Amino acid sequence: MKTQRILVVGAGHVGLYAALRLSKKLGSREAEVIVVDPQPHMTYQPFLPEAAAGNISPRHSVVPLRRELRKCHIVAGTVTRVEHARKTATVQPIIGPAREIPYDHIVVAPGAVSRTLPIPGLREHGIGFKTIGEAIYLRNHVLDRLDVAAATADPETRRSALTFVFVGGGYAGIEALAEMEDMARDALKYYPELKAEDMRWVLVEATQRVLPEVDRDMGAYTVEVLLKRGMDIRLDTRLESCVDGLVKLSDGDAFRADTIVWTAGVKPSPMLDNTDLPRDERRRVTCLPTLQVVDGDTVVEGAWSAGDCAAVPDLTGPPGAFCSPSAQHAVRQASRLADNIRAVIRGREPVEYKHKHAGSVASLGLHKGVAQVYGIKLKGLPAWFMHRTYHMSRIPSLNRKVRVVVDWTLAFFLRREVVALGQLHDPREEFLEATPRLDADSRA
């Protein structure tokens, strides 16, 4: 039998888990697994808020691809085009000319990107929160704003520096807001010039509730906890402009803020625009419950998809329902997808993916959380403990599990690191200032 080439596009939750399972379940004579991703790691996104807040090392929230996928061929680059009619993908390596990679099966899992809106000033002043780079940047930026506020004598500059706006009341926004406020409050111990009351933390949510994945009473509890911590929660409110850092909201309020974090949802990767695969009205790849790509009633042979970029029917929900874009579904879909590819290669029929959403857990800062799992609702410390336990069990590799537990254990005995390393974002600036420019005469 001819060795099948399986091309995995993207190394997020779906790509990494699918490639890992395929490499373990298929022999080298059965299949060759190629993984293409511009990053050398998979980011475990549920740990981004803790990495940003300094509860764990940022390096421990990512999983190195070459360490975990030793039986796979890793290509550091970006898939710029997929022509499934020819079963060929065009890959642009980090450096060098583009190359074409033929395949027998393709797993399309580039994930999602931030779903932004055409809001004046957002492009210039907004900060995303989907990558480890953005998490590190936000941490350094918040701590830098504390330094700015402590050093200035101008009340307007201080007020702007200490105003932090988070747009989006889903899990990403709530966890990022809560963890960063927790970190900043800890840091104020070292700023005698500042008081906690000087800081202003604002959540802007366009709907009338937060955490739509849980029941309304749990969302209301979350808002209550945040209000008790002095946060400004704006429900049924939209960000209309933030030109030059002047935040204008749909409720008529306007104020200056140096920090504007955008966490208002995601959309499928724009990479899918350069494929000939069928998609739905939300630009997701259309799939069967078997995770095979489908065009109308016709299965697209050799094409598979899952995760944030795929419209996968939810067999546990009402007719027409689709699986939510969550890590919980992505990890399980990846395993089913890998097993189905193995089944097809070995001449068997694929099996439908079916998983009833177990529930959700969220951290609201150190020792605070909210959880709703299999109908059981938890608040405070028990929910926070469940949040940590669940995600520690989900992050791939024993190496990362141990490192995360060690970080948490040390945090019980040592104070949180609250130093900004802003030079990481422009490390050559000081060197450029110290190096004289060469004019034409000196070069001659």
Side-chain angles (χ1 to χ4, degrees), residues 17 47 60 391-408:
Y17 278 97
F47 276 157
H60 301 164
H391 286 303
M392 187 275 291
S393 69
R394 291 289 93 192
I395 191 170
S397 88
L398 178 63
N399 180 291
R400 283 302 177 261
K401 287 177 170 56
V402 171
R403 289 181 183 275
V404 167
V405 170
V406 168
D407 283 344
W408 287 338

Side-chain angles (χ1 to χ4, degrees), residues 44-85:
Y44 190 71
Q45 291 186 354
F47 276 157
L48 287 184
E50 293 213 45
N55 294 330
I56 64 174
S57 168
R59 292 174 301 163
H60 301 164
S61 63
V62 300
V63 181
L65 298 183
R66 294 185 182 275
R67 174 186 291 170
E68 294 305 311
L69 302 176
R70 294 184 181 180
K71 294 182 179 180
C72 301
H73 179 53
I74 309 297
V75 178
T78 304
V79 173
T80 58
R81 186 173 182 80
V82 174
E83 295 178 73
H84 192 68

Side-chain angles (χ1 to χ4, degrees), residues 5 16 45 73 169 215 310 321 336 360 363 414 417 419:
R5 173 175 285 178
L16 176 73
Q45 291 186 354
H73 179 53
D215 290 347
R336 172 48 53 203
S360 301
S363 169
L414 303 176
E417 289 290 348
V419 59

Side-chain angles (χ1 to χ4, degrees), residues 195-405:
K195 297 178 295 183
E197 296 76 27
D198 295 332
M199 296 192 298
R200 184 182 183 187
W201 296 82
V202 184
L203 175 70
V204 179
E205 167 54 41
T207 67
Q208 295 181 347
R209 59 173 300 191
V210 301
L211 300 182
E213 299 89 346
V214 299
D215 290 347
R216 286 186 175 274
D217 61 329
M218 300 301 281
Y221 165 78
T222 300
V223 170
E224 182 182 341
V225 169
L226 298 180
L227 288 174
K228 286 181 178 178
R229 289 164 62 176
M231 299 188 196
D232 185 355
I233 310 299
R234 305 291 184 97
L235 302 181
D236 200 17
T237 305
R238 298 178 306 279
L239 174 66
E240 295 193 336
S241 174
C242 54
V243 176
D244 296 329
L246 178 61
V247 174
K248 295 182 179 180
L249 303 179
S250 61
D251 61 6
D253 197 5
F255 51 87
R256 293 200 169 275
D258 287 359
T259 308
I260 302 167
V261 185
W262 184 267
T263 61
V266 296
K267 63 181 179 180
S269 169
M271 169 263 160
L272 298 173
D273 294 337
N274 298 317
T275 74
D276 55 0
L277 299 173
R279 292 191 286 164
D280 68 2
E281 68 281 357
R282 293 173 58 183
R283 314 307 293 164
R284 299 172 299 181
V285 179
T286 52
C287 294
L288 292 174
T290 56
L291 305 172
Q292 294 167 292
V293 176
V294 63
D295 189 358
D297 295 326
T298 306
V299 175
V300 181
E301 183 185 353
W304 309 76
S305 189
D308 294 354
C309 70
V312 179
D314 185 356
L315 299 182
T316 67
F322 294 95
C323 296
S324 61
S326 65
Q328 184 180 146
H329 276 303
V331 171
R332 289 171 171 81
Q333 287 173 359
S335 296
R336 172 48 53 203
L337 184 151
D339 288 346
N340 282 349
I341 292 179
R342 180 182 61 170
V344 169
I345 289 176
R346 293 179 178 177
R348 300 197 300 268
E349 290 297 315
V351 177
E352 293 182 336
Y353 170 77
K354 185 177 182 179
H355 169 69
K356 186 173 179 60
H357 197 265
S360 301
V361 291
S363 169
L364 301 179
L366 202 59
H367 306 147
K368 299 174 284 290
V370 60
Q372 183 174 331
V373 180
Y374 293 118
I376 300 174
K377 300 176 182 180
L378 297 174
K379 303 173 182 177
L381 182 61
W384 172 81
F385 182 77
M386 178 178 285
H387 170 270
R388 283 200 161 183
T389 302
Y390 174 77
H391 286 303
M392 187 275 291
S393 69
R394 291 289 93 192
I395 191 170
S397 88
L398 178 63
N399 180 291
R400 283 302 177 261
K401 287 177 170 56
V402 171
R403 289 181 183 275
V404 167
V405 170

